Structure formats: structure tokens, C-alpha cells
Amino acid sequence: IPMSVSISKTLHVVLLAVVAALGMASCHKEYDDYDTTATVTLVAPDSVTVERMQGTVTLTNLNNRQSYSTSVFNGTVVQLPLLRGVYSVSAEGSVSYRDKAGVVHTGMFRATSSFEQLLDVPAHVSLSFIIL
């Protein structure tokens, strides 16, 4: 076998190996989307209409104990950027609300959940709160 044919075959084998490796590497999907935005909606009892809420919502990651808090309410909704995972959620503060007769009251509220999966992008949680 002439030397040029042997080198040519070797070159073809090497080229095929490189093309195959590149093809396999290009099919690999890198997944590094670890963040999400959690939207927490506080749901009022049926007998009241919320006028205004203020307080703090805290989400604690059950795996690493990292906590995320916010006091920025948009009606009964708060949003927090955080790592995707499993969380406990607590909320407390004051609420101004209107009862069925239309009378405005002010009271304290509280809501908790010991296990919420925040894995979607974005993630949503609805919690019923109680008025103290």
C-alpha cells in the first residue's frame, strides 16, 4: 500500500471522528436555568374584599435554608426572584378590608405553607390568609 493512501485513510478516520464528536456535542443541551420568579397570591376569606395589604412575605428554601423576603405588595400579590426549589412560605402583616355590609375594617393577617414546589418559570403559589 502506498504511503499516501495510508495517510489519506488515517486522515479520513480522524476527520470522521472529529465530525462525530462535534455532532454529539452539538446535541447536548446545556441546562443552567436555576432561577425563577415566584408570584405569591394571598387569597382573602370569602366574606371580605381586600382594600390594602402591607407586611412581609418570606420564602425559605427547604434544602439550603436560604430565605427570600419582600414587603412590596401589588394588591394581594408579591413577586420574588429566587432559586428554583422547594420552599416554606410565611406571610404576615396588616390588612384593610371591606366586609359584606361594606364596612371597612383593619386587622392583622397571617398565612403559612410548609411545602411549596417552586420549579416552574415563573412559579405561582396561592395561600389563603386568616385575619386575626
PDB file of all heavy atoms in Angstrom, residues 31 33-39 59 61-63 82-87 115-125:
ATOM      1  N   TYR A  31     -28.200  22.937  30.453  1.00  0.00           N
ATOM      2  CA  TYR A  31     -29.327  23.402  31.251  1.00  0.00           C
ATOM      3  C   TYR A  31     -28.794  24.032  32.522  1.00  0.00           C
ATOM      4  O   TYR A  31     -28.315  23.350  33.416  1.00  0.00           O
ATOM      5  CB  TYR A  31     -30.266  22.237  31.583  1.00  0.00           C
ATOM      6  CG  TYR A  31     -31.521  22.694  32.241  1.00  0.00           C
ATOM      7  CD1 TYR A  31     -32.525  23.278  31.490  1.00  0.00           C
ATOM      8  CD2 TYR A  31     -31.698  22.576  33.594  1.00  0.00           C
ATOM      9  CE1 TYR A  31     -33.683  23.719  32.079  1.00  0.00           C
ATOM     10  CE2 TYR A  31     -32.856  23.020  34.201  1.00  0.00           C
ATOM     11  CZ  TYR A  31     -33.843  23.585  33.430  1.00  0.00           C
ATOM     12  OH  TYR A  31     -34.984  24.033  34.023  1.00  0.00           O
ATOM     13  N   ASP A  33     -30.643  26.908  33.956  1.00  0.00           N
ATOM     14  CA  ASP A  33     -31.665  27.864  34.347  1.00  0.00           C
ATOM     15  C   ASP A  33     -32.138  27.514  35.757  1.00  0.00           C
ATOM     16  O   ASP A  33     -33.100  26.795  35.949  1.00  0.00           O
ATOM     17  CB  ASP A  33     -32.830  27.813  33.357  1.00  0.00           C
ATOM     18  CG  ASP A  33     -33.865  28.880  33.639  1.00  0.00           C
ATOM     19  OD1 ASP A  33     -33.564  29.819  34.397  1.00  0.00           O
ATOM     20  OD2 ASP A  33     -34.972  28.777  33.102  1.00  0.00           O
ATOM     21  N   TYR A  34     -31.421  28.025  36.749  1.00  0.00           N
ATOM     22  CA  TYR A  34     -31.710  27.690  38.133  1.00  0.00           C
ATOM     23  C   TYR A  34     -32.638  28.695  38.801  1.00  0.00           C
ATOM     24  O   TYR A  34     -33.115  28.462  39.898  1.00  0.00           O
ATOM     25  CB  TYR A  34     -30.415  27.612  38.946  1.00  0.00           C
ATOM     26  CG  TYR A  34     -29.463  26.578  38.414  1.00  0.00           C
ATOM     27  CD1 TYR A  34     -28.234  26.945  37.902  1.00  0.00           C
ATOM     28  CD2 TYR A  34     -29.792  25.233  38.422  1.00  0.00           C
ATOM     29  CE1 TYR A  34     -27.357  25.993  37.414  1.00  0.00           C
ATOM     30  CE2 TYR A  34     -28.934  24.276  37.929  1.00  0.00           C
ATOM     31  CZ  TYR A  34     -27.704  24.658  37.433  1.00  0.00           C
ATOM     32  OH  TYR A  34     -26.846  23.721  36.950  1.00  0.00           O
ATOM     33  N   ASP A  35     -32.889  29.827  38.171  1.00  0.00           N
ATOM     34  CA  ASP A  35     -33.666  30.898  38.780  1.00  0.00           C
ATOM     35  C   ASP A  35     -35.108  30.900  38.275  1.00  0.00           C
ATOM     36  O   ASP A  35     -35.403  30.389  37.201  1.00  0.00           O
ATOM     37  CB  ASP A  35     -33.049  32.259  38.458  1.00  0.00           C
ATOM     38  CG  ASP A  35     -31.644  32.383  39.005  1.00  0.00           C
ATOM     39  OD1 ASP A  35     -31.424  31.945  40.136  1.00  0.00           O
ATOM     40  OD2 ASP A  35     -30.774  32.915  38.293  1.00  0.00           O
ATOM     41  N   THR A  36     -35.983  31.483  39.084  1.00  0.00           N
ATOM     42  CA  THR A  36     -37.362  31.696  38.688  1.00  0.00           C
ATOM     43  C   THR A  36     -37.875  32.941  39.397  1.00  0.00           C
ATOM     44  O   THR A  36     -37.196  33.487  40.263  1.00  0.00           O
ATOM     45  CB  THR A  36     -38.263  30.479  39.033  1.00  0.00           C
ATOM     46  OG1 THR A  36     -39.548  30.672  38.437  1.00  0.00           O
ATOM     47  CG2 THR A  36     -38.402  30.279  40.526  1.00  0.00           C
ATOM     48  N   THR A  37     -39.029  33.377  39.009  1.00  0.00           N
ATOM     49  CA  THR A  37     -39.716  34.444  39.724  1.00  0.00           C
ATOM     50  C   THR A  37     -40.951  33.828  40.357  1.00  0.00           C
ATOM     51  O   THR A  37     -41.801  33.283  39.664  1.00  0.00           O
ATOM     52  CB  THR A  37     -40.118  35.589  38.772  1.00  0.00           C
ATOM     53  OG1 THR A  37     -38.939  36.136  38.204  1.00  0.00           O
ATOM     54  CG2 THR A  37     -40.872  36.672  39.523  1.00  0.00           C
ATOM     55  N   ALA A  38     -41.003  33.900  41.670  1.00  0.00           N
ATOM     56  CA  ALA A  38     -42.144  33.343  42.403  1.00  0.00           C
ATOM     57  C   ALA A  38     -43.195  34.432  42.592  1.00  0.00           C
ATOM     58  O   ALA A  38     -42.889  35.529  43.047  1.00  0.00           O
ATOM     59  CB  ALA A  38     -41.700  32.816  43.753  1.00  0.00           C
ATOM     60  N   THR A  39     -44.416  34.119  42.209  1.00  0.00           N
ATOM     61  CA  THR A  39     -45.548  35.005  42.436  1.00  0.00           C
ATOM     62  C   THR A  39     -46.398  34.382  43.530  1.00  0.00           C
ATOM     63  O   THR A  39     -46.894  33.268  43.371  1.00  0.00           O
ATOM     64  CB  THR A  39     -46.378  35.182  41.154  1.00  0.00           C
ATOM     65  OG1 THR A  39     -45.548  35.732  40.137  1.00  0.00           O
ATOM     66  CG2 THR A  39     -47.564  36.089  41.391  1.00  0.00           C
ATOM     67  N   LEU A  59     -39.999  33.437  51.920  1.00  0.00           N
ATOM     68  CA  LEU A  59     -39.897  32.087  51.390  1.00  0.00           C
ATOM     69  C   LEU A  59     -38.542  31.532  51.816  1.00  0.00           C
ATOM     70  O   LEU A  59     -37.516  32.185  51.611  1.00  0.00           O
ATOM     71  CB  LEU A  59     -39.995  32.084  49.866  1.00  0.00           C
ATOM     72  CG  LEU A  59     -41.382  32.361  49.304  1.00  0.00           C
ATOM     73  CD1 LEU A  59     -41.615  33.848  49.192  1.00  0.00           C
ATOM     74  CD2 LEU A  59     -41.539  31.706  47.953  1.00  0.00           C
ATOM     75  N   ASN A  61     -35.961  28.292  51.486  1.00  0.00           N
ATOM     76  CA  ASN A  61     -35.615  27.082  50.742  1.00  0.00           C
ATOM     77  C   ASN A  61     -35.408  25.944  51.742  1.00  0.00           C
ATOM     78  O   ASN A  61     -34.635  26.076  52.687  1.00  0.00           O
ATOM     79  CB  ASN A  61     -34.348  27.327  49.917  1.00  0.00           C
ATOM     80  CG  ASN A  61     -34.039  26.191  48.984  1.00  0.00           C
ATOM     81  OD1 ASN A  61     -33.878  25.058  49.406  1.00  0.00           O
ATOM     82  ND2 ASN A  61     -33.941  26.501  47.705  1.00  0.00           N
ATOM     83  N   LEU A  62     -36.127  24.835  51.556  1.00  0.00           N
ATOM     84  CA  LEU A  62     -36.045  23.726  52.497  1.00  0.00           C
ATOM     85  C   LEU A  62     -34.763  22.917  52.356  1.00  0.00           C
ATOM     86  O   LEU A  62     -34.423  22.143  53.252  1.00  0.00           O
ATOM     87  CB  LEU A  62     -37.264  22.811  52.335  1.00  0.00           C
ATOM     88  CG  LEU A  62     -38.603  23.459  52.663  1.00  0.00           C
ATOM     89  CD1 LEU A  62     -39.746  22.488  52.418  1.00  0.00           C
ATOM     90  CD2 LEU A  62     -38.620  23.983  54.081  1.00  0.00           C
ATOM     91  N   ASN A  63     -34.030  23.088  51.251  1.00  0.00           N
ATOM     92  CA  ASN A  63     -32.787  22.346  51.059  1.00  0.00           C
ATOM     93  C   ASN A  63     -31.584  23.065  51.651  1.00  0.00           C
ATOM     94  O   ASN A  63     -30.750  22.455  52.299  1.00  0.00           O
ATOM     95  CB  ASN A  63     -32.537  22.077  49.572  1.00  0.00           C
ATOM     96  CG  ASN A  63     -33.565  21.134  49.006  1.00  0.00           C
ATOM     97  OD1 ASN A  63     -33.921  20.151  49.644  1.00  0.00           O
ATOM     98  ND2 ASN A  63     -34.059  21.434  47.830  1.00  0.00           N
ATOM     99  N   LEU A  82     -35.890  34.120  42.847  1.00  0.00           N
ATOM    100  CA  LEU A  82     -35.228  33.162  43.732  1.00  0.00           C
ATOM    101  C   LEU A  82     -34.763  31.944  42.962  1.00  0.00           C
ATOM    102  O   LEU A  82     -35.062  31.798  41.782  1.00  0.00           O
ATOM    103  CB  LEU A  82     -36.151  32.764  44.891  1.00  0.00           C
ATOM    104  CG  LEU A  82     -37.617  32.392  44.614  1.00  0.00           C
ATOM    105  CD1 LEU A  82     -37.779  31.033  44.015  1.00  0.00           C
ATOM    106  CD2 LEU A  82     -38.392  32.494  45.893  1.00  0.00           C
ATOM    107  N   LEU A  83     -34.033  31.067  43.655  1.00  0.00           N
ATOM    108  CA  LEU A  83     -33.608  29.803  43.069  1.00  0.00           C
ATOM    109  C   LEU A  83     -34.792  28.844  43.045  1.00  0.00           C
ATOM    110  O   LEU A  83     -35.577  28.806  43.998  1.00  0.00           O
ATOM    111  CB  LEU A  83     -32.480  29.178  43.893  1.00  0.00           C
ATOM    112  CG  LEU A  83     -31.137  29.875  43.855  1.00  0.00           C
ATOM    113  CD1 LEU A  83     -30.173  29.216  44.843  1.00  0.00           C
ATOM    114  CD2 LEU A  83     -30.555  29.825  42.460  1.00  0.00           C
ATOM    115  N   ARG A  84     -34.909  28.073  41.968  1.00  0.00           N
ATOM    116  CA  ARG A  84     -35.971  27.084  41.897  1.00  0.00           C
ATOM    117  C   ARG A  84     -35.757  26.036  42.974  1.00  0.00           C
ATOM    118  O   ARG A  84     -34.641  25.688  43.308  1.00  0.00           O
ATOM    119  CB  ARG A  84     -35.973  26.445  40.518  1.00  0.00           C
ATOM    120  CG  ARG A  84     -36.360  27.442  39.453  1.00  0.00           C
ATOM    121  CD  ARG A  84     -36.075  26.988  38.066  1.00  0.00           C
ATOM    122  NE  ARG A  84     -36.557  25.626  37.828  1.00  0.00           N
ATOM    123  CZ  ARG A  84     -36.482  25.016  36.685  1.00  0.00           C
ATOM    124  NH1 ARG A  84     -35.962  25.612  35.649  1.00  0.00           N
ATOM    125  NH2 ARG A  84     -36.924  23.802  36.546  1.00  0.00           N
ATOM    126  N   GLY A  85     -36.847  25.544  43.572  1.00  0.00           N
ATOM    127  CA  GLY A  85     -36.725  24.529  44.604  1.00  0.00           C
ATOM    128  C   GLY A  85     -37.995  24.383  45.408  1.00  0.00           C
ATOM    129  O   GLY A  85     -39.068  24.803  44.988  1.00  0.00           O
ATOM    130  N   VAL A  86     -37.856  23.794  46.591  1.00  0.00           N
ATOM    131  CA  VAL A  86     -38.974  23.550  47.489  1.00  0.00           C
ATOM    132  C   VAL A  86     -38.844  24.518  48.662  1.00  0.00           C
ATOM    133  O   VAL A  86     -37.779  24.639  49.259  1.00  0.00           O
ATOM    134  CB  VAL A  86     -38.972  22.087  47.974  1.00  0.00           C
ATOM    135  CG1 VAL A  86     -40.124  21.829  48.924  1.00  0.00           C
ATOM    136  CG2 VAL A  86     -39.037  21.142  46.784  1.00  0.00           C
ATOM    137  N   TYR A  87     -39.948  25.197  48.991  1.00  0.00           N
ATOM    138  CA  TYR A  87     -39.919  26.284  49.966  1.00  0.00           C
ATOM    139  C   TYR A  87     -41.034  26.157  50.987  1.00  0.00           C
ATOM    140  O   TYR A  87     -42.092  25.595  50.707  1.00  0.00           O
ATOM    141  CB  TYR A  87     -40.097  27.633  49.251  1.00  0.00           C
ATOM    142  CG  TYR A  87     -38.877  28.060  48.476  1.00  0.00           C
ATOM    143  CD1 TYR A  87     -38.624  27.564  47.207  1.00  0.00           C
ATOM    144  CD2 TYR A  87     -37.968  28.951  49.034  1.00  0.00           C
ATOM    145  CE1 TYR A  87     -37.495  27.947  46.510  1.00  0.00           C
ATOM    146  CE2 TYR A  87     -36.839  29.338  48.343  1.00  0.00           C
ATOM    147  CZ  TYR A  87     -36.605  28.834  47.081  1.00  0.00           C
ATOM    148  OH  TYR A  87     -35.480  29.203  46.397  1.00  0.00           O
ATOM    149  N   PHE A 115     -44.757  23.562  52.644  1.00  0.00           N
ATOM    150  CA  PHE A 115     -44.167  22.861  51.493  1.00  0.00           C
ATOM    151  C   PHE A 115     -44.785  23.373  50.198  1.00  0.00           C
ATOM    152  O   PHE A 115     -45.954  23.119  49.928  1.00  0.00           O
ATOM    153  CB  PHE A 115     -44.420  21.353  51.623  1.00  0.00           C
ATOM    154  CG  PHE A 115     -43.748  20.537  50.569  1.00  0.00           C
ATOM    155  CD1 PHE A 115     -42.448  20.096  50.738  1.00  0.00           C
ATOM    156  CD2 PHE A 115     -44.398  20.201  49.396  1.00  0.00           C
ATOM    157  CE1 PHE A 115     -41.815  19.330  49.775  1.00  0.00           C
ATOM    158  CE2 PHE A 115     -43.787  19.447  48.414  1.00  0.00           C
ATOM    159  CZ  PHE A 115     -42.487  19.009  48.608  1.00  0.00           C
ATOM    160  N   GLU A 116     -44.007  24.102  49.433  1.00  0.00           N
ATOM    161  CA  GLU A 116     -44.436  24.579  48.110  1.00  0.00           C
ATOM    162  C   GLU A 116     -43.319  24.323  47.109  1.00  0.00           C
ATOM    163  O   GLU A 116     -42.171  24.701  47.351  1.00  0.00           O
ATOM    164  CB  GLU A 116     -44.751  26.074  48.127  1.00  0.00           C
ATOM    165  CG  GLU A 116     -45.928  26.461  48.989  1.00  0.00           C
ATOM    166  CD  GLU A 116     -47.261  25.975  48.443  1.00  0.00           C
ATOM    167  OE1 GLU A 116     -47.375  25.747  47.217  1.00  0.00           O
ATOM    168  OE2 GLU A 116     -48.196  25.841  49.239  1.00  0.00           O
ATOM    169  N   GLN A 117     -43.649  23.672  45.999  1.00  0.00           N
ATOM    170  CA  GLN A 117     -42.661  23.420  44.946  1.00  0.00           C
ATOM    171  C   GLN A 117     -42.660  24.607  43.984  1.00  0.00           C
ATOM    172  O   GLN A 117     -43.658  24.856  43.316  1.00  0.00           O
ATOM    173  CB  GLN A 117     -42.988  22.140  44.191  1.00  0.00           C
ATOM    174  CG  GLN A 117     -42.848  20.908  45.035  1.00  0.00           C
ATOM    175  CD  GLN A 117     -43.089  19.640  44.240  1.00  0.00           C
ATOM    176  OE1 GLN A 117     -43.163  19.649  43.020  1.00  0.00           O
ATOM    177  NE2 GLN A 117     -43.204  18.539  44.940  1.00  0.00           N
ATOM    178  N   LEU A 118     -41.554  25.312  43.924  1.00  0.00           N
ATOM    179  CA  LEU A 118     -41.399  26.462  43.026  1.00  0.00           C
ATOM    180  C   LEU A 118     -40.388  26.072  41.965  1.00  0.00           C
ATOM    181  O   LEU A 118     -39.217  26.445  42.023  1.00  0.00           O
ATOM    182  CB  LEU A 118     -40.959  27.693  43.825  1.00  0.00           C
ATOM    183  CG  LEU A 118     -41.930  28.095  44.932  1.00  0.00           C
ATOM    184  CD1 LEU A 118     -41.386  29.248  45.739  1.00  0.00           C
ATOM    185  CD2 LEU A 118     -43.283  28.440  44.349  1.00  0.00           C
ATOM    186  N   LEU A 119     -40.851  25.282  41.003  1.00  0.00           N
ATOM    187  CA  LEU A 119     -39.971  24.718  39.986  1.00  0.00           C
ATOM    188  C   LEU A 119     -40.219  25.293  38.605  1.00  0.00           C
ATOM    189  O   LEU A 119     -39.334  25.269  37.755  1.00  0.00           O
ATOM    190  CB  LEU A 119     -40.133  23.192  39.949  1.00  0.00           C
ATOM    191  CG  LEU A 119     -39.875  22.481  41.286  1.00  0.00           C
ATOM    192  CD1 LEU A 119     -40.218  21.004  41.172  1.00  0.00           C
ATOM    193  CD2 LEU A 119     -38.443  22.683  41.735  1.00  0.00           C
ATOM    194  N   ASP A 120     -41.420  25.803  38.361  1.00  0.00           N
ATOM    195  CA  ASP A 120     -41.748  26.342  37.043  1.00  0.00           C
ATOM    196  C   ASP A 120     -41.128  27.727  36.864  1.00  0.00           C
ATOM    197  O   ASP A 120     -40.718  28.375  37.817  1.00  0.00           O
ATOM    198  CB  ASP A 120     -43.261  26.447  36.868  1.00  0.00           C
ATOM    199  CG  ASP A 120     -43.936  25.091  36.878  1.00  0.00           C
ATOM    200  OD1 ASP A 120     -43.291  24.108  36.491  1.00  0.00           O
ATOM    201  OD2 ASP A 120     -45.109  25.027  37.294  1.00  0.00           O
ATOM    202  N   VAL A 121     -41.071  28.158  35.626  1.00  0.00           N
ATOM    203  CA  VAL A 121     -40.586  29.510  35.307  1.00  0.00           C
ATOM    204  C   VAL A 121     -41.686  30.219  34.548  1.00  0.00           C
ATOM    205  O   VAL A 121     -41.924  29.890  33.404  1.00  0.00           O
ATOM    206  CB  VAL A 121     -39.294  29.457  34.460  1.00  0.00           C
ATOM    207  CG1 VAL A 121     -38.813  30.856  34.131  1.00  0.00           C
ATOM    208  CG2 VAL A 121     -38.218  28.669  35.173  1.00  0.00           C
ATOM    209  N   PRO A 122     -42.407  31.148  35.117  1.00  0.00           N
ATOM    210  CA  PRO A 122     -42.399  31.575  36.513  1.00  0.00           C
ATOM    211  C   PRO A 122     -43.177  30.597  37.381  1.00  0.00           C
ATOM    212  O   PRO A 122     -43.936  29.778  36.887  1.00  0.00           O
ATOM    213  CB  PRO A 122     -43.087  32.932  36.464  1.00  0.00           C
ATOM    214  CG  PRO A 122     -44.033  32.831  35.312  1.00  0.00           C
ATOM    215  CD  PRO A 122     -43.336  31.943  34.298  1.00  0.00           C
ATOM    216  N   ALA A 123     -43.009  30.713  38.701  1.00  0.00           N
ATOM    217  CA  ALA A 123     -43.681  29.832  39.656  1.00  0.00           C
ATOM    218  C   ALA A 123     -44.793  30.605  40.364  1.00  0.00           C
ATOM    219  O   ALA A 123     -44.661  31.805  40.595  1.00  0.00           O
ATOM    220  CB  ALA A 123     -42.669  29.308  40.673  1.00  0.00           C
ATOM    221  N   HIS A 124     -45.886  29.904  40.697  1.00  0.00           N
ATOM    222  CA  HIS A 124     -47.043  30.551  41.325  1.00  0.00           C
ATOM    223  C   HIS A 124     -47.458  29.795  42.579  1.00  0.00           C
ATOM    224  O   HIS A 124     -47.470  28.567  42.577  1.00  0.00           O
ATOM    225  CB  HIS A 124     -48.228  30.598  40.355  1.00  0.00           C
ATOM    226  CG  HIS A 124     -47.940  31.334  39.098  1.00  0.00           C
ATOM    227  ND1 HIS A 124     -47.962  32.698  39.027  1.00  0.00           N
ATOM    228  CD2 HIS A 124     -47.586  30.897  37.866  1.00  0.00           C
ATOM    229  CE1 HIS A 124     -47.646  33.068  37.795  1.00  0.00           C
ATOM    230  NE2 HIS A 124     -47.421  31.991  37.076  1.00  0.00           N
ATOM    231  N   VAL A 125     -47.807  30.561  43.615  1.00  0.00           N
ATOM    232  CA  VAL A 125     -48.314  29.998  44.859  1.00  0.00           C
ATOM    233  C   VAL A 125     -49.523  30.824  45.285  1.00  0.00           C
ATOM    234  O   VAL A 125     -49.463  32.048  45.255  1.00  0.00           O
ATOM    235  CB  VAL A 125     -47.252  30.058  45.986  1.00  0.00           C
ATOM    236  CG1 VAL A 125     -47.825  29.600  47.307  1.00  0.00           C
ATOM    237  CG2 VAL A 125     -46.038  29.229  45.633  1.00  0.00           C
TER     238      VAL A 125
END
